[in-house]
């Protein structure tokens, strides 16, 4: 009995240390991935090289293709035990033989595809810093849809944080008070189109996220299997966007027109975004996720100003960004629960 207790006491700190390491490593990777995706996507859409620019619709299709291959590999090595027969059985029993459950994923997948297209439009017309701050309104839309669709109750602290969030985003959108703060060298962009795109993406993200959560709570399938279904429909919807929006350009210059190393980096980062969020949700808490979001906003602001030279911060922006960062922390804060008194167990 003593040896058993020693083994248990020895294994528990090891498990806690492993979880702690995974938590912080995943958060660091999420910060770097979020910041790098926004900056590289913005840079790839604002800089015109030789030849035609890559099509955002094809980039979305390739990102979904990378995502589905990654999830299949995770299922193959995890639930399948590196057995091809087991993988085929899992895919058939959990996806192919359940067409109705699979079709349910078409709705959030279509919304996520729409959201990804809108984000390309937004970052083609907004600087990275303004986009990062404004996109945090997805916290508000997710909260509202969770109240309407999941009958979730929000505390007074969360409602205050949502009001603070809206105030911060409004301040960020305020124009500069002095005309000297504008630069003639900035690339041409339509801020209104970018703002409408990012706000629409926030609503799409909020509804799709809550809908997906509702589906996950009603089934026993793993997150990776659900992501395979999402990516499958994402490829179909993405190809539809390629055909209807850029069919002539693809016929003229090919599917991979304008692709370069930077484009493939955008594709890879876009594919990893959903998978990394899933890992962070599993191992981290809301406070640390808010910390990651805040650091990403700060890094995007610094790089957008000093390296991309497409953003000039104003006093409104600094106050608004502070409000948004504070609201992110406040919304994710959960007061510690009182410890329950437990009776000592006897063996």
């Amino acid at each position: 009995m003593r040896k058993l207790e020693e083994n248990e006491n020895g294994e528990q700190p090891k498990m806690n240390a492993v979880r702690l390491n995974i938590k912080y490593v995943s958060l660091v990777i999420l910060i770097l991935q979020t910041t790098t995706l926004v900056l590289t996507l913005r840079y790839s859409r604002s800089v015109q090289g030789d030849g035609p620019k890559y099509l955002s619709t094809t980039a979305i299709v390739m990102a979904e293709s990378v995502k589905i291959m990654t999830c299949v590999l995770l299922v193959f090595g995890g639930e399948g035990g590196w057995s091809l027969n087991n993988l085929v059985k899992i895919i058939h029993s959990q996806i192919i033989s359940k067409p109705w459950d699979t079709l349910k994923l078409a709705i959030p997948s279509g919304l996520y595809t729409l959201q990804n297209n809108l984000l390309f439009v937004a970052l083609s017309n907004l600087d990275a810093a303004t986009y990062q701050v404004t996109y945090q309104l997805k916290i508000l839309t997710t909260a509202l849809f969770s109240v309407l669709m999941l009958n979730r109750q929000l505390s007074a602290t969360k409602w205050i944080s949502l009001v603070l969030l809206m105030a911060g985003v409004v301040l960020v959108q305020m124009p500069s008070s002095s005309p000297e703060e504008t630069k003639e060298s900035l690339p041409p962009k339509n801020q209104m189109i970018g703002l409408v795109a990012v706000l629409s993406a926030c609503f799409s993200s909020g509804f799709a996220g809550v809908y997906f959560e509702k589906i996950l709570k009603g089934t026993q399938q793993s997150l990776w299997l659900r992501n395979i279904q999402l990516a499958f429909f994402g490829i179909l919807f993405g190809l539809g966007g390629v055909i209807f929006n850029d069919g002539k350009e693809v016929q003229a210059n090919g599917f991979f027109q304008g692709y370069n190393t930077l484009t493939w980096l955008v594709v890879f980062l876009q594919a990893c975004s959903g998978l990394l969020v899933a890992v962070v949700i599993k191992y981290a808490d809301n406070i640390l996720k808010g910390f990651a979001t805040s650091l990403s906003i700060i890094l995007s602001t610094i790089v957008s100003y000093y390296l991309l030279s497409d953003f000039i911060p104003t006093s409104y922006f600094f106050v608004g960004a502070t409000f948004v960062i504070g609201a992110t922390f406040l919304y994710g804060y959960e007061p510690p629960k009182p410890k329950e008194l437990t009776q000592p167990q006897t063996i």
Side-chain angles (χ1 to χ4, degrees):
M1 181 64 66
R2 182 176 299 174
K3 290 183 179 180
L4 179 61
E5 291 178 353
E6 289 177 355
N7 290 336
E8 290 178 350
N9 293 335
E11 288 295 328
Q12 190 63 33
K14 291 181 180 179
M15 292 297 295
N16 291 337
V18 170
R19 288 183 63 87
L20 188 66
N21 289 333
I22 294 176
K23 176 170 67 174
Y24 286 110
V25 169
S26 62
L27 279 170
V28 171
I29 295 175
L30 179 62
I31 293 170
L32 294 177
Q33 184 271 338
T34 303
T35 307
T36 306
L37 173 60
V38 171
L39 295 173
T40 53
L41 203 160
R42 169 61 185 162
Y43 183 74
S44 68
R45 302 308 292 173
S46 61
V47 176
Q48 179 66 51
D50 297 333
K53 185 180 294 186
Y54 77 92
L55 302 173
S56 60
T57 52
T58 63
I60 291 171
V61 172
M62 294 311 302
E64 294 298 322
S65 301
V66 173
K67 186 185 298 182
I68 197 171
M69 289 187 291
T70 303
C71 290
V72 168
L73 183 62
L74 289 170
V75 174
F76 178 51
E79 300 171 53
W82 301 107
S83 170
L84 187 59
N85 289 332
N86 290 341
L87 176 64
V88 173
K89 289 179 181 178
I90 291 172
I91 300 258
H92 184 271
S93 62
Q94 297 297 323
I95 298 178
I96 298 177
S97 63
K98 297 179 179 179
W100 176 243
D101 286 340
T102 301
L103 282 173
K104 291 180 181 178
L105 273 297
I107 295 176
S109 179
L111 290 172
Y112 282 133
T113 304
L114 173 63
Q115 171 192 336
N116 290 332
N117 280 280
L118 289 170
L119 295 185
F120 273 91
V121 175
L123 280 167
S124 297
N125 293 279
L126 292 175
D127 57 81
T130 302
Y131 161 82
Q132 277 278 66
V133 176
T134 308
Y135 192 47
Q136 299 314 308
L137 273 178
K138 64 183 179 181
I139 298 175
L140 171 63
T141 58
T142 302
L144 294 178
F145 282 120
S146 66
V147 171
L148 295 174
M149 297 171 60
L150 301 178
N151 295 322
R152 188 167 291 163
Q153 300 293 324
L154 299 182
S155 64
T157 302
K158 291 188 182 297
W159 283 114
I160 293 173
S161 68
L162 294 177
V163 174
L164 188 64
L165 176 69
M166 288 189 293
V169 172
V170 169
L171 285 172
V172 166
Q173 303 303 324
M174 294 292 288
S176 172
S177 59
S178 60
E180 289 79 9
E181 292 182 354
T182 60
K183 281 186 180 180
E184 295 181 358
S185 59
L186 294 180
K189 55 188 178 182
N190 191 321
Q191 188 168 2
M192 181 56 65
I193 292 178
L195 181 59
V196 171
V198 74
L199 291 178
S200 301
C202 288
F203 277 95
S204 175
S205 174
F207 181 83
V210 174
Y211 186 92
F212 187 46
E213 180 183 350
K214 191 173 183 178
I215 291 177
L216 286 177
K217 289 183 176 180
T219 59
Q220 299 298 322
Q221 287 182 333
S222 70
L223 186 62
W224 307 128
L225 283 171
R226 286 304 193 187
N227 273 284
I228 290 175
Q229 295 167 306
L230 281 175
F232 171 74
F233 286 113
I235 292 173
L236 294 182
F237 287 123
L239 287 174
V242 172
I243 295 172
F244 287 105
N245 294 330
D246 300 312
K248 293 182 180 179
E249 286 80 358
V250 170
Q251 288 181 348
N253 300 304
F255 189 89
F256 296 104
Q257 59 178 283
Y259 273 59
N260 51 32
T261 304
L262 184 62
T263 309
W264 285 111
L265 179 60
V266 170
V267 168
F268 176 77
L269 292 171
Q270 184 75 22
C272 291
S273 60
L275 303 180
L276 280 174
V277 169
V279 173
V280 171
I281 289 174
K282 183 176 181 180
Y283 290 102
D285 54 33
N286 286 326
I287 297 296
L288 289 176
K289 284 187 290 181
F291 182 70
T293 301
S294 303
L295 278 182
S296 180
I297 291 174
I298 294 171
L299 288 174
S300 298
T301 302
I302 294 173
V303 175
S304 186
Y305 177 71
Y306 286 104
L307 296 183
L308 299 184
S309 300
D310 65 346
F311 168 70
I312 302 174
T314 65
S315 56
Y316 287 122
F317 178 87
F318 282 119
V319 175
T322 302
F323 279 12
V324 170
I325 292 173
T328 304
F329 275 101
L330 189 60
Y331 187 84
Y333 174 73
E334 295 290 344
K337 297 180 180 179
K339 295 183 179 180
E340 297 180 359
L341 296 176
T342 57
Q343 296 293 332
Q345 297 181 354
T346 59
I347 300 178

